[in-house]
Amino acid sequence: MAIQKPTLPKGTRDFGPLQMARRNYIFGIIKDTFKLFGYQQLETPSMENLSTLTGKYGDEGDQLIFKILNSGDYLKDVSVSDLGAGAGATLSKVSEKGLRYDLTVPFARYVVMNRNEISYPFKRFQIQPVWRADRPQRGRYREFYQCDADVVGTDSLVCELEILLMIKRVFAQLGLNDYAIKLNNRKILTGLAEVIGAAGRESELCVAIDKLDKIGWEKVQEELLQRGFVQEAIDKLNPIISLQGSNKEKLDFLSSFLVDSETGLKGIGELREVFDLLGKYGESEEFVDFDVVLARGLSYYTGAIFEVKVNNVSIGSVSGGGRYDNLTGVFGLEGVSGVGFSFGVDRIYDVLEELGLFPEKQLDGTEVLITYFDEQGRDYGLKVLSQLRSNLVSAELYPDAAKIKKQFTYADKKQIPFVIILGSEEIEKGQVSLKNLSTGSQESLSLESAIDTVKSSMLNHGS
Amino acid sequence: MAIQKPTLPKGTRDFGPLQMARRNYIFGIIKDTFKLFGYQQLETPSMENLSTLTGKYGDEGDQLIFKILNSGDYLKDVSVSDLGAGAGATLSKVSEKGLRYDLTVPFARYVVMNRNEISYPFKRFQIQPVWRADRPQRGRYREFYQCDADVVGTDSLVCELEILLMIKRVFAQLGLNDYAIKLNNRKILTGLAEVIGAAGRESELCVAIDKLDKIGWEKVQEELLQRGFVQEAIDKLNPIISLQGSNKEKLDFLSSFLVDSETGLKGIGELREVFDLLGKYGESEEFVDFDVVLARGLSYYTGAIFEVKVNNVSIGSVSGGGRYDNLTGVFGLEGVSGVGFSFGVDRIYDVLEELGLFPEKQLDGTEVLITYFDEQGRDYGLKVLSQLRSNLVSAELYPDAAKIKKQFTYADKKQIPFVIILGSEEIEKGQVSLKNLSTGSQESLSLESAIDTVKSSMLNHGS
């Protein structure tokens, strides 16, 4: 067999020890927060039937689902006339399964299949990879993790409050302080369409307004004209586009602006209640910014819409979500209202790296490396190793009697903070020499004292 | 669109909150142990190029790899003459990627691609799902997790010692005491083939002997005859098949039995050293059982071979591994020796369930549910909720002012140990009523005292 130089598939990555430690640091904070708020973990299979996946993400989404070839003679149902008919025509003959494209559709499928066992309200979180056959580019991968939390089976706005609180806690724990949670409500967008005389066209309005940040009001107006909105209607939006002030001031303005839209006023009322609940929980609302032009593309939101942006970094949105009133309808279960959101872990990773916010001691792992010169040292080292681990100190014995410099280089590369050196003197006295690699200090100690020193250093580093 | 009743693909499973809590319990113990021993985590992509995967698992294995359909017009290179030519002929035209089949080949690929950045000895662990298009049956799934730990870049037998110690620690932490680690050495099997006059045929010998447990010595002899071993050679194996005694007694017998095989004696020497290291670490060897007929199918082992069986349960092997001297050779990097093993988490799960060994409090999560009767109760509850979470007590406020019975049912189903009840009396006094759902006791307390009560209960349950 010819020897091949191995490569990775386009758009995929290995995560070595340092990246894993950093990713686990982020996952850990997110998971702890979800649990503190009473969310329970769910995992669904990587593969779903294509019948479950297709038709849920739009035509473009369907194209981007990775399909799995049927086992065995997969071409047996393909006929000569199928060749040249294009990919869509024969897909059902060669593939019946696809890879998970997001965590929302599998969650909806789970709820429908387990509707009678679930106790509502059902608060679930899910942290798993998803796959998309997108063209790979910087910051966009074909395999990436999503971290979702959703609660279904209640329309209480306490759930919206809790999402704001969870985002706040995660960002505080990560040391990310300069960010804003943008908050809007789909019903307000519906109301806007009504009062400008374009009732029922809020989806088109949203698609155009969604680009305000990127292309500016001028170009958004052009797009609205092209989509058939009349100039008179567009002009009515002017005060909305330039809306400034505190959350309360903006809500007060909207209350009169939307006075003729029952739905719009309902949206205002919901937002007011969320801010009210925030105050009752004892939180200031300054980290939440009511943004009347926040639309987010997804058309299934029916109430609150969230988006989180970190300020002064090159990366855009790192989290988002909203309320939907009919998540499971497509699988035949109507009337399940819910609200959820997602953390973009890859983007949060990039933000923390850009801002230098990862903890100094990154490689969680070995605290002590035991080094030695000969077989006698190794044998003594085995006893030392056993004692360290019994005391829950992560420790290694260098496996070979290599040159001491080589053993120290190993400790250095692995960011191991302490080295124990076992020479003939230490063995004779029944002691150990403990060297702190960051301060350079070294002392001869009883093993018990060495363990105490290492353990108190672990406590200080929070490891 | 017609509404479909959703189903799961054959051989795949959802893991709901209870299963996830139990699985995380197992994963947590395994991960902690790997880290205590200085192993670092690696994750590789779910997809690998087919050129990386094929040819590594035998013909049958190649069939069982899930292949991913190329994006776009995947049939464009398929010709009329390809139809009916069978699956193998056209595969390279429609698919270039497959799903991970195990964790060993991706690890070898990673080592080769990162050979210059890695500091050796490289101790890595990896916990990820793998996929096999096997026929699903009880206990066999198409998606399942593997938990591997390997160390490469050293042939020190300290690594073999550490694998025994890691297995012992994981089983002790899981409360699994009645098990045995079977240990053998491939060189001993090589030596056996030599001394019975069938030098170089240890692979065939292994395949047959591997079935001893299942089909008995009589049938194994038949198979050996069929494979062309002569009766005289087979008869020489008799004392080996019936070998009894302590590890030392068995090794002593083998030392004379294999006296004419240099390789065989080397294997004996390696095993003796592993037992010796175990003693120097301060461990008795009674949990390790030298088993001269342990072969395991995999032909790439060159030294130690491990297998773990739990006694008195219906499930067989739950862990296994061994030393290999040429893991990365197939990717062009020669001479990388390593040793590794794998925990079968799905099987360990079944064993713990069969023996009733999962902890009593299984659903890690919410410690306190706050219940109330009206809006005034909810508003007071929000403050209570905020205090509980600031004290790192996982807590929920029931989101709607539902009937109190419904709120209690929710706590019950979610195994929440404490309920706080907020009626008008509690609100007036600025207190809370705390009910312990397992004892049924209820008392009126200050919020601070209630938090203390819950926290000391959490400590007792180790959550």
Side-chain angles (χ1 to χ4, degrees):
Chain A
M1 182 169 45
I3 282 168
Q4 351 132 347
K5 209 182 157 112
T7 57
L8 279 174
K10 265 189 305 182
T12 69
R13 299 161 288 172
D14 288 320
F15 298 114
L18 178 62
Q19 290 107 311
M20 280 308 297
R22 288 173 162 189
R23 290 169 66 86
N24 285 336
Y25 166 74
I26 300 171
F27 285 133
I29 286 172
I30 292 174
K31 247 188 238 179
D32 284 351
T33 302
F34 288 161
K35 285 187 186 172
L36 190 63
F37 282 70
Y39 284 72
Q40 297 181 308
Q41 194 166 6
L42 173 71
E43 284 192 3
T44 63
S46 303
M47 302 172 185
E48 293 277 354
N49 292 319
L50 281 180
S51 55
T52 299
L53 297 177
T54 47
K56 313 300 188 298
Y57 307 108
D59 286 347
E60 202 196 343
D62 284 352
Q63 300 291 325
L64 300 183
I65 294 169
F66 277 109
K67 284 97 182 173
I68 293 162
L69 206 55
N70 291 341
S71 301
D73 189 4
Y74 54 85
L75 282 177
K76 69 179 191 297
D77 294 331
V78 175
S79 64
V80 173
S81 62
D82 287 330
L83 298 181
T90 49
L91 185 60
S92 65
K93 297 183 177 178
V94 300
S95 170
E96 58 189 26
K97 291 185 289 292
L99 291 180
R100 193 166 51 218
Y101 183 86
D102 74 356
L103 303 179
T104 306
V105 166
F107 174 53
R109 191 231 352 108
Y110 177 85
V111 169
V112 172
M113 284 178 66
N114 298 276
R115 61 179 96 180
N116 297 322
E117 289 78 47
I118 291 171
S119 65
Y120 302 93
F122 180 41
K123 300 165 89 171
R124 90 85 173 77
F125 75 90
Q126 192 167 353
I127 300 181
Q128 290 191 277
V130 301
W131 296 268
R132 296 182 184 180
D134 249 326
R135 205 139 62 96
Q137 58 188 61
R138 201 180 118 71
R140 191 195 283 166
Y141 302 99
R142 291 184 150 191
E143 173 176 53
F144 58 97
Y145 269 76
Q146 290 194 333
C147 295
D148 282 22
D150 290 79
V151 47
V152 295
T154 172
D155 55 11
S156 165
L157 293 168
V158 169
C159 304
E160 273 81 345
L161 164 69
E162 298 223 316
I163 288 177
L164 297 175
L165 295 170
M166 284 192 280
I167 294 171
K168 184 175 188 226
R169 183 176 196 274
V170 165
F171 278 56
Q173 298 275 314
L174 291 172
L176 272 171
N177 300 310
D178 193 8
Y179 69 97
I181 305 180
K182 293 184 175 189
L183 177 64
N184 197 9
N185 191 298
R186 172 65 177 260
K187 297 188 181 77
I188 292 178
L189 294 166
T190 304
L192 283 182
E194 286 179 16
V195 301
I196 66 166
R201 299 182 60 194
E202 65 267 26
S203 290
E204 289 163 273
L205 189 63
C206 287
V207 170
I209 285 189
D210 213 22
K211 300 176 185 162
L212 196 60
D213 265 8
K214 282 188 196 140
I215 63 175
W217 179 221
E218 201 86 8
K219 297 259 181 206
V220 169
Q221 290 190 61
E222 282 172 27
E223 182 170 334
L224 286 169
L225 279 170
Q226 273 169 14
R227 288 176 178 272
F229 287 81
V230 297
Q231 190 63 50
E232 195 195 345
I234 296 170
D235 287 343
K236 283 190 186 153
L237 287 172
N238 275 321
I240 297 301
I241 300 300
S242 57
L243 192 59
Q244 299 284 336
S246 70
N247 290 324
K248 190 179 173 308
E249 285 163 356
K250 287 189 276 189
L251 284 169
D252 287 347
F253 175 84
L254 263 296
S255 290
S256 48
F257 191 83
L258 296 177
V259 72
D260 293 327
S261 162
E262 199 185 331
T263 305
L265 291 178
K266 191 149 187 285
I268 301 282
E270 288 178 7
L271 280 190
R272 284 193 198 275
E273 186 173 343
V274 171
F275 284 117
D276 188 44
L277 290 170
L278 207 50
K280 284 172 176 162
Y281 191 86
E283 284 288 349
S284 97
E285 61 178 67
E286 60 192 22
F287 69 104
V288 185
D289 183 18
F290 166 43
D291 182 356
V292 69
V293 297
L294 174 70
R296 287 179 68 84
L298 292 170
S299 55
Y300 59 74
Y301 292 135
T302 53
I305 304 173
F306 308 95
E307 190 166 275
V308 188
K309 281 201 170 141
V310 181
N311 298 323
N312 303 316
V313 292
S314 55
I315 286 138
S317 154
V318 295
S319 174
R323 178 172 286 279
Y324 38 81
D325 280 341
N326 198 13
L327 179 69
T328 54
V330 71
F331 295 120
L333 183 63
E334 301 288 337
V336 176
S337 180
V339 56
F341 75 115
S342 186
F343 283 113
V345 168
D346 291 285
R347 289 183 167 191
I348 291 175
Y349 186 106
D350 290 345
V351 167
L352 295 184
E353 195 163 48
E354 189 172 337
L355 299 176
L357 287 177
F358 281 113
E360 208 179 312
K361 183 175 184 313
Q362 300 191 21
L363 283 172
D364 58 336
T366 312
E367 296 289 334
V368 182
L369 177 71
I370 302 166
T371 63
Y372 55 93
F373 299 90
D374 50 25
E375 199 180 316
Q376 199 195 3
R378 186 200 65 181
D379 290 353
Y380 183 54
L382 285 167
K383 285 195 195 68
V384 172
L385 184 64
S386 171
Q387 286 303 305
L388 284 163
R389 288 185 184 148
S390 299
N391 283 279
L392 296 180
V393 175
S394 172
E396 294 181 61
L397 175 81
Y398 197 84
D400 309 289
K403 288 208 175 104
I404 205 83
K405 187 164 176 289
K406 193 172 174 194
Q407 301 184 49
F408 268 77
T409 304
Y410 177 81
D412 200 45
K413 285 208 175 163
K414 226 171 154 174
Q415 294 188 16
I416 299 174
F418 290 98
V419 168
I420 279 178
I421 305 146
L422 302 177
S424 52
E425 201 179 328
E426 284 85 3
I427 299 170
E428 210 165 284
K429 289 189 191 161
Q431 293 203 316
V432 301
S433 280
L434 181 71
K435 180 162 187 156
N436 180 324
L437 288 191
S438 55
T439 65
S441 73
Q442 180 175 333
E443 49 184 341
S444 191
L445 295 166
S446 72
L447 179 55
E448 292 68 36
S449 307
I451 290 174
D452 287 345
T453 305
V454 173
K455 288 205 95 160
S456 66
S457 157
M458 282 162 69
L459 280 176
N460 290 335
H461 286 89
S463 59
Chain B
M1 183 168 44
I3 282 169
Q4 353 134 343
K5 207 182 159 115
T7 57
L8 279 174
K10 267 189 305 184
T12 69
R13 301 160 288 173
D14 288 321
F15 298 113
L18 179 62
Q19 290 107 309
M20 280 309 297
R22 288 173 161 189
R23 290 169 65 85
N24 284 336
Y25 166 74
I26 301 171
F27 286 133
I29 286 172
I30 292 175
K31 248 188 239 180
D32 285 351
T33 302
F34 288 161
K35 285 186 186 172
L36 190 63
F37 281 71
Y39 284 72
Q40 296 181 310
Q41 194 166 6
L42 171 72
E43 284 192 4
T44 62
S46 303
M47 301 171 185
E48 295 277 355
N49 292 320
L50 282 180
S51 56
T52 299
L53 297 177
T54 47
K56 313 300 186 298
Y57 308 108
D59 286 347
E60 200 196 345
D62 284 353
Q63 300 291 324
L64 300 183
I65 294 169
F66 278 108
K67 283 96 183 175
I68 293 163
L69 206 56
N70 291 340
S71 300
D73 189 3
Y74 54 86
L75 283 177
K76 67 178 191 299
D77 294 331
V78 174
S79 66
V80 173
S81 61
D82 287 330
L83 299 182
T90 49
L91 185 61
S92 65
K93 295 184 177 177
V94 300
S95 170
E96 58 190 27
K97 291 186 289 291
L99 293 180
R100 192 167 50 218
Y101 183 86
D102 74 356
L103 303 179
T104 306
V105 167
F107 174 53
R109 186 217 17 91
Y110 176 85
V111 170
V112 173
M113 285 178 67
N114 298 276
R115 60 178 98 182
N116 297 322
E117 289 78 48
I118 291 172
S119 66
Y120 302 93
F122 181 42
K123 299 165 89 169
R124 89 86 173 76
F125 75 89
Q126 191 167 352
I127 300 180
Q128 290 191 278
V130 301
W131 296 270
R132 297 183 184 181
D134 250 325
R135 206 140 61 98
Q137 58 187 61
R138 202 181 119 71
R140 191 196 284 166
Y141 302 99
R142 292 185 149 190
E143 173 177 52
F144 57 97
Y145 269 75
Q146 290 193 334
C147 294
D148 282 22
D150 290 79
V151 46
V152 294
T154 173
D155 55 10
S156 164
L157 294 169
V158 169
C159 305
E160 273 81 346
L161 164 70
E162 298 224 316
I163 288 177
L164 298 175
L165 295 170
M166 285 193 279
I167 295 171
K168 183 174 189 226
R169 183 177 196 274
V170 164
F171 278 55
Q173 297 275 312
L174 291 172
L176 272 171
N177 300 310
D178 194 8
Y179 69 95
I181 306 180
K182 293 183 175 191
L183 177 64
N184 197 8
N185 191 300
R186 172 64 178 260
K187 297 188 180 80
I188 293 177
L189 294 166
T190 304
L192 282 183
E194 287 179 16
V195 300
I196 66 167
R201 298 182 62 195
E202 67 265 28
S203 291
E204 288 164 273
L205 189 63
C206 288
V207 170
I209 284 189
D210 213 21
K211 299 176 186 162
L212 196 61
D213 264 7
K214 282 186 196 139
I215 62 174
W217 178 222
E218 200 86 8
K219 298 255 180 209
V220 169
Q221 291 191 60
E222 282 171 28
E223 184 170 331
L224 286 170
L225 279 170
Q226 273 168 18
R227 288 176 180 271
F229 287 80
V230 297
Q231 189 62 49
E232 194 196 345
I234 296 171
D235 287 345
K236 284 192 185 151
L237 287 172
N238 274 323
I240 297 301
I241 301 300
S242 57
L243 192 61
Q244 299 284 335
S246 70
N247 290 323
K248 190 180 172 307
E249 285 162 357
K250 287 189 275 188
L251 284 169
D252 287 345
F253 175 84
L254 263 297
S255 290
S256 48
F257 191 83
L258 296 178
V259 73
D260 293 327
S261 163
E262 196 185 333
T263 307
L265 291 179
K266 191 151 188 285
I268 301 282
E270 288 177 8
L271 280 190
R272 284 195 198 274
E273 186 173 345
V274 170
F275 283 118
D276 188 44
L277 290 170
L278 206 51
K280 285 173 175 161
Y281 191 85
E283 284 288 349
S284 96
E285 62 178 65
E286 61 191 21
F287 68 104
V288 185
D289 183 17
F290 166 43
D291 182 356
V292 68
V293 298
L294 174 69
R296 288 179 70 84
L298 293 170
S299 55
Y300 59 75
Y301 292 134
T302 52
I305 305 173
F306 308 95
E307 190 166 276
V308 188
K309 281 203 171 140
V310 181
N311 299 323
N312 303 315
V313 294
S314 54
I315 285 137
S317 153
V318 296
S319 175
R323 177 172 287 277
Y324 38 81
D325 280 340
N326 198 14
L327 180 69
T328 55
V330 69
F331 295 120
L333 183 63
E334 299 289 336
V336 177
S337 180
V339 55
F341 75 114
S342 185
F343 283 114
V345 168
D346 291 285
R347 289 183 168 192
I348 291 176
Y349 186 105
D350 290 346
V351 167
L352 294 183
E353 196 162 48
E354 189 172 337
L355 298 176
L357 287 177
F358 281 113
E360 208 178 313
K361 184 176 184 311
Q362 301 192 19
L363 284 171
D364 57 337
T366 312
E367 295 289 334
V368 182
L369 177 72
I370 301 166
T371 64
Y372 54 93
F373 300 89
D374 51 25
E375 197 179 317
Q376 200 195 1
R378 185 199 66 181
D379 291 353
Y380 183 55
L382 284 167
K383 285 194 194 71
V384 172
L385 184 63
S386 171
Q387 286 304 307
L388 284 164
R389 289 185 183 147
S390 298
N391 284 279
L392 296 181
V393 175
S394 171
E396 293 181 62
L397 175 80
Y398 197 85
D400 309 288
K403 288 205 177 110
I404 205 83
K405 185 163 177 290
K406 194 173 172 190
Q407 301 184 49
F408 268 76
T409 303
Y410 176 81
D412 200 45
K413 285 207 174 165
K414 225 170 155 175
Q415 294 188 16
I416 299 174
F418 290 98
V419 168
I420 279 177
I421 306 145
L422 301 176
S424 51
E425 203 179 327
E426 284 84 3
I427 299 170
E428 211 166 284
K429 288 191 191 159
Q431 293 203 318
V432 301
S433 282
L434 180 71
K435 181 161 184 156
N436 180 322
L437 289 191
S438 55
T439 65
S441 73
Q442 180 175 334
E443 49 184 342
S444 191
L445 296 166
S446 71
L447 178 54
E448 292 70 36
S449 308
I451 290 174
D452 287 345
T453 305
V454 173
K455 288 204 95 161
S456 65
S457 156
M458 282 163 68
L459 280 176
N460 290 334
H461 286 88
S463 56

